[in-house]
Amino acid sequence: MLSPASMESLILQLHDISAVKFGDFKLKSGISSPIYIDIRLIVSYPSLLRQISGALTAVVPQSVHYDAVCGVPYTALPIATCISVSSDVPMVMRRKEIKDYGTAKAIEGAYQENQVCLIVEDLVTSGTSVLETAAPLRAAGLKVTDAVVMIDREQGGRENLSANGITLHAMVTLRELVSILKEKGRVSEEMEKMVNKFLQENHKVSVPSSVTTKKIRLPYQERAKLAKNPTGKKLFEIVVKKESNLCFSADVSTAQQLLDIANKVGPEICMLKTHVDILPDFTPAFGSKLRSIAEKHNFLIFEDRKFADIGNTVTMQYEGGIFKILDWADIVNAHIISGPGIVDGLKQKGLSRNRGLLLLAEMSSSGNFAKGDYTAAAVKIAEEHQDFVIGFISVSPSSWPGGRGAPSLIHATPGVQLVKGGDDLGQQYNTPSSVIGERGSDIIIVGRGIIKASDPVEAAREYRLQGWEAYLMNL
């Protein structure tokens, strides 16, 4: 807890170095203000910088736990650095401009998924800068629940941050600051009234919609490092190496047709999806033949089995029967209608074989029931079983109230064609740009758009290029 005497001393020192100015100033939010706070000056005053850093540490309640600190670039970076050094708490840095070379990281430093990061800022008006920093931190898998600031301008920032799940802790409000300066004879009563009138007239500065709606996502190569399942990690790595986020849904009439087209489009895809139970000429040799093609062209095999039974039954369906899916499919999927036991059952057989599981969180057919609480339950189960669950079959994860889930989990979306539309059986189609950009998915699943094309290989190449371009445009 910061004492009144210490706060008063800091405010007077800020005024002494002209970090607090009075006049007519245009703020980042676009409004004009009779007072301006220029905290950047404190980098030239080490003693004051050290005092402020200590004061901010004292402002944060002891009940607030955090594993790392991150200063909002650029003014708060030296403050966060001092807090890190004096408190022996790790610091991470947010890149204001993400490079298109090297690691292309948005967040620099050493951290682990689900660690809690405290954001450090110099002052808050609308809270926009804090939200712009929180977004990539959260996208990287860090939790952001609190921010500490020197000065709260009392213009809606606290409320805006609260609406985004962040509690603001401030050393002093703008009214308190001006009141202290007036009491010490630094400003006139008339100026104090002018500032108070300004605050009353501008008590609510909204956050630009571009900040509240922008979805920051980590590059695939960064997410590969977070993956806890070897197949999930390998999928991310294949996507990066081949510059392909295209999954081909090979719903053809015979096993031989499937093998032929897999060999042709293999260079363009990261994953091939099968429905093995529709193949009338299936033989036990099918799996090994398909695996040979997959190894040749470096893609994973996803059997779209949609397991839905109780745990004991699905273990037998997965390992046994005539298809012996476990032997040749890298990835399978499952509904969660029977509860988390289905994951336990499949994991019992698949984990030791380095297999992965996708959960059906949403479906692309009209009128389906996989939405709302069902989707939220799928996310919860996935995050609790990341050693085996590698992601989701989803439709619009960017609209999920709780977010897309952990960045280590991948999203694959079916129903993709080059033009929007639907078929007579309720399948809804969206473009690669819409699925990757607007809807927030990672992998496009394309079937008929390739199979029915006059040149399937060229069609696959076009889908690959459009899917990859959509990904690059949304980093």
Side-chain angles (χ1 to χ4, degrees), residues 103-115:
T103 60
K105 287 183 177 180
I107 302 298
E108 298 285 359
Y111 56 88
Q112 295 179 1
E113 190 175 345
N114 291 323
Q115 285 188 321

Side-chain angles (χ1 to χ4, degrees), residues 180-194:
I180 290 171
L181 291 177
K182 195 261 297 186
E183 289 175 5
K184 296 300 179 180
R186 301 294 184 95
V187 297
S188 65
E189 185 175 346
E190 182 182 357
M191 177 57 73
E192 182 186 29
K193 289 180 179 178
M194 187 182 301

Side-chain angles (χ1 to χ4, degrees), residues 98 103-106 217-224 240 471 475:
I98 301 175
T103 60
K105 287 183 177 180
R217 69 173 71 182
L218 283 179
Y220 292 128
Q221 59 264 38
E222 285 301 302
R223 295 170 65 189
V240 172
Y471 158 69
L475 283 177

Side-chain angles (χ1 to χ4, degrees), residues 153-209:
R153 290 186 64 103
E154 304 173 281
Q155 293 177 265
R158 183 178 296 275
E159 294 75 17
N160 292 336
L161 292 175
S162 178
N164 285 274
I166 300 173
T167 300
L168 182 66
H169 310 281
M171 185 183 84
V172 66
T173 67
L174 195 59
R175 282 188 177 89
E176 291 170 338
L177 181 147
V178 175
S179 176
I180 290 171
L181 291 177
K182 195 261 297 186
E183 289 175 5
K184 296 300 179 180
R186 301 294 184 95
V187 297
S188 65
E189 185 175 346
E190 182 182 357
M191 177 57 73
E192 182 186 29
K193 289 180 179 178
M194 187 182 301
V195 172
N196 288 337
K197 182 174 183 292
F198 162 78
L199 291 175
Q200 186 175 359
E201 293 174 348
N202 297 276
H203 68 282
K204 181 65 176 175
V205 179
S206 61
V207 178
S209 60

